[in-house]
Structures are given as structure tokens and as C-alpha cells.
Amino acid sequence: MIPAADERGPVAALPEPLEGFLRYLASEKRHSPSTCSSYRDDLRRFLVWVEQQPAPAWRAVTSHDLRRYVAQLSREGLGGRSIARHLSAIRRFYQYLLREHLATDNPALDIRAPRAGKRLPRVADVDQLNHLLDATPEDPLEIRDLSMFELMYSSGLRLSELAGLSLHSVDFRGGEVRVLGKGSKERILPVGRKALEALERWLGARRTMAPEEESALYVSRRGDRLSTRSIQSRLSRWGLAKGADQRLHPHLLRHSFASHMLESSGDLRAVQELLGHADIATTQVYTHLDFQHLAKVYDQSHPRARRGQKKGRES
């Protein structure tokens, strides 16, 4: 176990080369006190580990030694990003030692941290979304808001795509919406029945808010195009008012659309096209979400997979 920075370890005082490095960061590189403190903590932890080795000599640390140090950090639960930060501190320290002729090699040059796990997007439960979208709007602005959120979840729209919609973007007869995505790429998406019904109600209310010459589909109470920031704010407000158990934001609806579509269809290529991803690798993150769902069902249902329960009698 490597002592953390605030624990007493074999290295009671920092060696002069490290103190010199910290002075160099503060005076020549103009790093902030908090940044210097982070370097101090990470490098002290490293030197404590070096002192615990059978033949401690920080000047003679090799890349092989550093790989063992990285493995130790990983065993103690540090993630890829934290280990990368430690390696960065060690790398810069040895660069300084080389400059001062206090070392002959930088053992951290070719060492890479373990790849950080890809952060999975959060999704909302289907039942919770149905509850939120089945809520009854109480005024014209809520009629607009419900229409926006239905459309985002129905078609997996990005926030910018929703804000950029015009009156002619929606084909009610065909049940489609035409959006302009990243790189000015246009795509046509299906719109569900509930979203079309909400859009019809909004168009009735919109006539009282927007001047005839305004082409934006969604407008503010002043009658001009609704901004992306306003959409974010209204979605968050809707969630609070209707009792959501997590913060609602536009990407949550888009991620939920993708995950729920994949759970139902299993067609990754179709979900890629609907989301407008140029690379299917971007869409594949939702396969992890799908597996998480399956694993949860398996753990809860299979008699031989239930976790956290007492073992039966030994035979």
C-alpha cells in the first residue's frame, strides 16, 4: 500500500531536487499554488514507494520499476485518469532532473496509463419518461415544452437540431422531421404519434405568440426563435415540476432514445443512422448500456446468479 500524500511515510522531508523542482514550477513556470501542491502530493507518494523497494534509489528508477508502480496504483483503485496525472508529474520531474544534470534518463517517457473506462451516458427509465411526458401542460408555454420534449425523445434530436427547426421542417402527413445536423448534414427522421399530437397542439398555441413572418418552429413568449439555453432551462424546470428523480437535460433524452431503440430492435446500424453518427464506433457505446440492462435482469432473475445473498447449505 502506497501512503497517500497526507500520511506519514518513510520520506519525512522532500529531497532537495524535488524542492528545487517545485520552486521551478512556481517561479519559472508560474504554476498556481494548487497545481504545485498537486505535483508535491503525487511525487511524494512516488518517492515513498521508491523508498519501500528492496534497493531504493530514485535516481536509478527504470521504466520497469515505473510499470510496477503503475500496477500498484491500479491495484489500489486509482483510475486511468488519476494514474495518467501521476505519470505526468513523474515525467516532468525527471525532465527537470535531466536539465539539472541530476539524472541520465527519463524512465516515464514510454509509460502510458491504463486506458480510462469510457464514461457511459446516463439514460432515463422508460416508465419514468412516460410519466413525465404524459403530464398535462397547464399553459401555452408548457404546451410548447411538452412538444419539444416529445420530439426530442421521439426522434433522438440534438439540442442544436431542435432549436434550428422551422415550420416547414415537419411533415405531418409523412410523420417525418427534417433536421440539419453536424457538418450541415441533413437527415430525415420518423416522428412518433405522441410527438405529432403534441406538435399539433403547440401549433395551435403558437399562433398567439409568434408573428406571421417568424419561421422558427419553437418560439419564446416574445415571439422570436427559442435559444438552446432556454430549451435546457425549460427541460430542467419541467423535470422539477413533474417530479423527475434525476435532472433532465437534452442529451439525457437523446441518450434514452438511443438506448431504448437498441434494447427494442438490436439494430445498431439503424440507431447510428437515426442519431446521425458518422462513425458506428460512436454509437457502439449504447451496446454497453444494452448489456448492462441484460446483466441486471440476469442477476435479478437467474437462481444461480443472485448476488449478495447468503450461500445455501454446504453439501
Side-chain angles (χ1 to χ4, degrees), residues 117-129:
K118 194 161 189 177
R119 200 173 179 181
L120 297 179
R122 295 180 64 189
V123 299
D125 180 77
V126 175
D127 291 335
Q128 182 189 160
L129 276 180

Side-chain angles (χ1 to χ4, degrees), residues 174-187:
E176 298 171 343
V177 61
R178 187 184 299 268
V179 302
L180 197 63
K182 287 185 176 180
S184 298
K185 291 181 179 178
E186 189 177 74
R187 67 190 193 281

Side-chain angles (χ1 to χ4, degrees), residues 17-67:
L18 180 49
E19 291 288 9
F21 173 63
L22 295 171
R23 289 194 298 269
Y24 160 77
L25 292 179
S27 59
E28 293 190 37
K29 292 299 182 180
R30 304 288 185 184
H31 286 324
S32 69
S34 62
T35 299
C36 292
S37 178
S38 294
Y39 273 100
R40 176 188 292 272
D41 292 345
D42 291 349
L43 289 170
R44 181 181 184 277
R45 187 171 186 174
F46 168 63
L47 293 179
V48 166
W49 179 82
V50 170
E51 291 288 346
Q52 292 173 343
Q53 302 313 297
W58 58 268
R59 289 182 180 84
V61 168
T62 65
S63 58
H64 176 71
D65 296 324
L66 268 186
R67 287 190 178 91

Side-chain angles (χ1 to χ4, degrees), residues 100-115:
E100 299 297 314
H101 305 292
L102 296 173
T104 58
D105 186 33
N106 187 339
L109 279 182
D110 297 322
I111 308 297
R112 296 290 177 266
R115 184 174 296 178

Side-chain angles (χ1 to χ4, degrees), residues 233-295:
S233 174
R234 293 295 297 190
L235 179 53
S236 178
R237 180 181 181 277
W238 182 275
L240 290 172
K242 308 306 178 185
D245 60 7
Q246 63 188 118
R247 188 179 72 84
L248 293 188
H249 54 87
H251 247 60
L252 178 70
L253 295 181
R254 179 170 160 86
H255 292 321
S256 300
F257 159 82
S259 181
H260 298 164
M261 282 289 297
L262 191 59
E263 280 184 24
S264 300
S265 69
D267 192 333
L268 186 64
R269 183 68 67 180
V271 174
Q272 176 196 4
E273 294 293 331
L274 290 168
L275 291 172
H277 287 161
D279 186 349
I280 199 168
T282 309
T283 318
Q284 281 174 331
V285 65
Y286 296 105
T287 63
H288 298 297
L289 292 170
D290 188 36
F291 178 79
Q292 285 184 340
H293 169 74
L294 294 174

